[in-house]
């Protein structure tokens, strides 16, 4: 196999272009990924933002070392000086069925995105920090066009996104934004400029920390100064599994993606593998909407940086005058897996990963959106590239199936013989009429190109 071309894959054209622009300026994969994620915080606010959390996986081509960083949200309450007020219940329509989510101040956990991006840049960046932040600040000044796939998500999530101050951005004049209309957040450029000058600390101990605490508490939450000042990015262990002679490396996520890859059947030829893959992917948890986004970057030296971030649905609690929505992670039912201890990280399905060939060189850098479907989307994409010989565009775009308890949900176009084998093995099969963003949103850069997921308006650009 040849080497991976330098490139960027993301879920918005402006995000991908930002990453490429930084690579062209001589930035590393880390510089480009940080700049692209900051662009996400302007262009993809339906999925993510400065007020969210995430994870990064970095591959150093010279040493072959893989590092995973956790900058997901933390449970607030270290100040221990108040009790949360009730959350705000909203109905979100997902697959035509209403699901109740909880937003408001009490749903806000400690954000990790600014700290995480700062740490990725500190470890592996080359360009000056202000230069990495500048493209996102520029996008925030002008606003960005809303892709059709994002407009579809907005329609489903409007009760949360257009709640309170969010209405000004997502529902100007009382009408929800449509495809190719301008998404603009008043004040977000001011926040990005401050981030460029003062660094991530501006949100933790600087001028915006006090504002964040006051805003969340006024909305009924418990976030306090000790929560922000005590937040730290954590380096976490790397899981490894072998797939088709390649090493897959990622953090240990709530869905145990790497363990699942290790448990795939030995014979991965189609259509016989369908039942074994479905059994490995069987998900017993509740199926909730996942509003997440991912950026995958490879630089000319062969380094890779993959960053996945999320806001949940967004709390509908906005930092006044700064155009920043805060996360709603404490209202995400499927993530509340443990007793919530102040200062501890919350659980997440996010799993940015890299795949390394037998020669020690990078083969694929990939991540996905989609909550509990992240594992399904990534496993199917890797099977496509590593086993079926597809390029990343074909592997991401082909129909996928997702197993929940005793049911397989299959997108239109899944091979009939595979669905028949699943039925014969006792699975109930529900066929969806189209490709749907329920099935995740992969972005990947690999030896066969760069691609974003058509389910999420994704884009892949090579340098």
């Amino acid at each position: 196999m040849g080497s991976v071309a330098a490139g960027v894959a993301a879920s918005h054209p402006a995000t991908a272009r930002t990453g490429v622009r930084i690579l062209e300026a001589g930035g590393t994969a880390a510089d480009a990924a940080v700049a692209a994620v900051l662009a996400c915080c302007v262009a993809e606010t339906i999925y993510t933002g400065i007020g969210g959390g995430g994870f990064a996986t970095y591959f150093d081509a010279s040493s072959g070392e893989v590092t995973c960083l956790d900058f997901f949200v933390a449970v607030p309450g270290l100040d221990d000086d108040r009790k949360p007020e009730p959350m705000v219940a909203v109905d979100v329509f997902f697959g035509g069925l209403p699901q109740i989510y909880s937003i408001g101040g009490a749903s806000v956990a400690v954000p990790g995105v600014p700290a995480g991006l700062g740490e990725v840049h500190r470890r592996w960046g080359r360009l000056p920090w202000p230069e990495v932040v500048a493209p996102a600040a520029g996008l925030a000044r002008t606003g960005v066009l809303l892709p059709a796939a994002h407009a579809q998500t907005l329609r489903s999530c409007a009760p949360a996104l257009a709640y309170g101050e969010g209405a000004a951005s997502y529902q100007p004049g009382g009408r929800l934004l449509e495809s190719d209309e301008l998404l603009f957040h008043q004040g977000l450029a001011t926040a990005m400029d401050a981030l460029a000058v003062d660094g991530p600390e501006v949100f933790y101990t600087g001028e915006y920390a006090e504002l964040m605490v006051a805003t969340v508490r006024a909305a009924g939450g418990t976030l306090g100064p000790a929560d922000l000042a005590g937040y730290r990015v954590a380096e976490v262990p790397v899981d490894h599994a072998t797939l088709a002679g390649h090493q897959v490396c990622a953090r240990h996520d709530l869905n145990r993606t790497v363990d699942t890859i290790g448990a795939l059947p030995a014979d991965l030829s189609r259509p016989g593998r369908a039942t074994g893959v479905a059994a490995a992917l069987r998900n017993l948890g509740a199926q909730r909407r996942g509003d997440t986004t991912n950026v995958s970057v490879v630089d000319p030296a062969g380094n890779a940086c993959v960053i996945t971030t999320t806001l949940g649905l967004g709390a509908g609690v906005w930092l006044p005058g700064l155009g920043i929505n805060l996360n709603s992670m404490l209202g995400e039912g499927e993530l509340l897996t443990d007793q919530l201890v102040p200062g501890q990280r919350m659980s997440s399905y996010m799993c940015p990963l890299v795949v390394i060939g037998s020669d020690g060189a990078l083969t694929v850098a990939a991540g996905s959106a989609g909550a509990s479907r992240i594992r399904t989307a990534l496993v199917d994409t890797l099977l496509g590239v590593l086993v079926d010989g597809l390029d990343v565009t074909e592997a991401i775009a082909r129909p996928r199936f997702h197993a929940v308890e005793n049911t397989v949900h299959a997108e239109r176009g899944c091979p009939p013989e595979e669905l028949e084998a699943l039925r014969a093995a006792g699975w109930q099969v529900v066929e969806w009429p189209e490709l749907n963003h329920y099935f995740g949103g992969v972005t990947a850069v690999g030896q066969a190109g760069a691609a974003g997921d058509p389910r999420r308006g994704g884009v892949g650009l090579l340098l």
Side-chain angles (χ1 to χ4, degrees):
M1 281 187 146
S3 62
V4 176
V8 180
S11 293
H12 192 293
T15 304
R17 284 196 301 267
T18 295
V20 169
R21 174 176 158 187
I22 293 295
L23 289 178
E24 288 173 342
T28 63
D31 288 320
V34 169
V37 173
L38 288 169
C40 290
C41 295
V42 179
E44 303 180 39
T45 58
I46 285 166
Y47 302 121
T48 194
I50 290 284
F55 300 89
T57 297
Y58 189 84
F59 171 72
D60 184 297
S62 60
S63 66
E65 187 177 357
V66 176
T67 306
C68 293
L69 297 182
D70 174 340
F71 55 94
F72 199 47
V73 300
V75 178
L78 290 176
D79 297 84
D80 196 24
D81 59 351
R82 65 178 49 221
K83 293 279 184 280
E85 294 173 21
M87 296 187 198
V88 178
V90 292
D91 273 352
V92 172
F93 282 83
F94 189 22
L97 299 172
Q99 292 191 7
I100 297 175
Y101 278 79
S102 300
I103 63 171
S107 74
V108 178
V110 186
V113 165
L117 298 183
E119 182 66 9
V120 170
H121 178 264
R122 185 188 73 77
R123 289 185 181 222
W124 302 293
R126 179 190 299 149
L127 299 181
W129 174 254
E131 198 174 323
V132 173
V133 182
L139 290 173
R141 274 185 265 285
T142 60
V144 291
L145 296 181
L146 191 71
H150 295 214
Q152 182 185 352
T153 303
L154 175 58
R155 284 193 291 276
S156 298
C157 298
L161 288 168
Y163 176 85
E165 281 188 51
S169 295
Y170 299 115
Q171 204 168 2
R175 184 181 65 79
L176 278 181
L177 289 181
E178 298 282 350
S179 174
D180 290 330
E181 292 187 332
L182 192 70
L183 173 63
F184 177 76
H185 294 286
Q186 187 72 42
L188 186 51
T190 303
M192 288 292 181
D193 288 341
L195 179 63
V197 173
D198 298 337
E201 297 76 24
V202 72
F203 289 101
Y204 297 94
T205 54
E207 66 170 309
Y208 293 160
E210 199 175 322
L211 178 67
M212 192 185 301
V213 169
T215 304
V216 172
R217 290 186 165 200
T222 61
L223 184 76
D227 296 317
L228 292 174
Y231 185 88
R232 296 290 182 273
V233 177
E235 183 172 327
V236 293
V238 182
D239 283 355
H240 302 266
T242 302
L243 179 61
H246 294 74
Q247 278 284 311
V248 181
C249 306
R251 78 178 199 96
H252 190 81
D253 65 288
L254 190 56
N255 247 341
R256 299 172 42 235
T257 298
V258 178
D259 289 349
T260 302
I261 289 168
L264 290 172
D267 181 4
L268 288 171
S269 54
R270 304 183 79 175
R273 75 181 184 211
T275 53
V277 170
L281 288 173
R282 187 193 303 264
N283 190 298
L284 301 176
Q287 300 300 289
R288 306 278 281 187
R289 170 173 291 285
D291 284 324
T292 312
T293 194
N294 187 80
V295 169
S296 302
V297 180
V298 177
D299 65 25
N303 305 304
C305 189
V306 187
I307 301 180
T308 314
T309 61
T310 186
L311 268 183
L313 278 183
V317 177
W318 294 74
L319 295 186
L322 298 177
I324 292 174
N325 191 8
L326 297 175
N327 71 81
S328 60
M329 285 303 162
L330 291 170
E332 297 274 324
E334 65 181 357
L335 298 183
L336 307 182
T337 53
D338 308 304
Q339 189 179 0
L340 297 177
V341 178
Q344 283 193 2
R345 288 295 203 277
M346 293 187 66
S347 301
S348 173
Y349 295 109
M350 292 188 280
C351 190
L353 60 82
V354 292
V355 180
I356 301 166
S358 55
D359 59 355
L362 183 74
T363 305
V364 181
S368 183
S372 51
R373 280 83 60 204
I374 287 173
R375 175 180 62 165
T376 293
L378 288 171
V379 169
D380 188 69
T381 298
L382 294 185
L383 286 172
V385 173
L386 303 178
V387 177
D388 302 336
L390 304 178
D391 64 38
V392 290
T393 303
E394 295 168 327
I396 291 171
R398 71 175 178 180
R400 305 198 261 263
F401 66 74
H402 175 67
V404 187
E405 295 181 339
N406 299 313
T407 303
V408 167
H409 293 267
E411 290 183 300
R412 182 190 184 114
C414 281
E417 61 274 19
E418 291 195 356
L419 300 184
E420 210 39 63
L422 288 164
R423 288 189 185 98
W427 293 86
Q428 287 187 304
V429 176
V430 175
E431 296 189 59
W432 290 52
E434 77 287 302
L435 296 190
N436 190 285
H437 62 264
Y438 168 82
F439 291 88
V442 178
T443 67
V445 181
Q447 290 176 337
D453 203 312
R455 298 163 184 81
R456 304 253 173 166
V459 178
L461 299 174
L462 294 177
L463 191 60

